[in-house]
Amino acid sequence: TNELFFVTDADITLPKDLVELSNKYISKYTAWFPVCFSLFENKPQIVAPINGNWTKEGKGMFASTKTQFEKSGKFNLLYKKWGWEDIDLWISYFRAGIVPLRTKCKGLIHNWHPSLETKTEEPEHLKKFGFI
């Protein structure tokens, strides 16, 4: 019933207060790109150094308004390697004048699975920003 939405990968456990957190971090000038806790193989969903680590970037999730998403240019679908479209989107929000907030989110957990990532060349414009 409003413009707010949250996008995430399917391998993420979501916190119970996701709606409240989204409302807290999204404003006219900000979008939320939360940082999740990534579990190691065969570990319980408990945030602790022996179970996993905090990711350095958003890993396929953000909360925004539809207007902000459209202003940013949406996802660049030309990327072949996993994750680059997420990094590109973060940069696009920034360039559109929308602050992409990064915060750790304790109940947001990336569940371990074997990597399906393929090896391809790194795009120069993402190297320039220090993301890869």
Side-chain angles (χ1 to χ4, degrees):
T1 60
N2 63 42
E3 276 215 317
L4 297 179
F5 66 97
F6 185 83
V7 175
T8 186
D9 287 347
D11 55 5
I12 303 289
T13 298
L14 303 175
K16 292 178 182 177
D17 59 347
L18 178 65
V19 173
E20 291 85 0
L21 289 167
S22 296
N23 284 318
K24 176 181 177 180
Y25 292 115
I26 299 170
S27 74
K28 184 176 182 181
Y29 304 105
T30 60
W32 185 38
F33 286 72
V35 177
C36 65
F37 188 77
S38 285
L39 291 177
F40 297 143
E41 185 175 3
N42 299 321
K43 293 294 182 175
Q45 288 191 348
I46 299 169
V47 176
I50 62 169
N51 294 336
N53 56 28
W54 288 100
T55 58
K56 293 180 182 176
E57 61 277 329
K59 299 292 182 195
M61 69 194 90
F62 69 98
S64 175
T65 67
K66 182 180 177 186
T67 301
Q68 290 170 329
F69 185 57
E70 290 171 348
K71 184 178 178 183
S72 76
K74 302 179 183 176
F75 280 112
N76 182 338
L77 301 177
L78 299 177
Y79 290 105
K80 303 286 185 234
K81 186 174 179 180
W82 174 89
W84 287 354
E85 74 283 359
D86 303 324
I87 296 166
D88 186 79
L89 183 67
W90 189 92
I91 294 168
S92 297
Y93 268 79
F94 183 77
R95 286 184 175 157
I98 303 156
V99 177
L101 297 174
R102 290 240 196 258
T103 66
K104 287 183 179 178
C105 184
K106 230 177 188 172
L108 202 60
I109 297 176
H110 176 263
N111 296 288
W112 185 89
H113 57 80
S115 178
L116 301 173
E117 185 175 351
T118 59
K119 301 294 181 195
T120 58
E121 279 190 44
E122 300 172 342
E124 290 299 319
H125 72 287
L126 296 184
K127 281 187 198 176
K128 178 172 63 175
F129 283 94
F131 284 99
I132 53 176

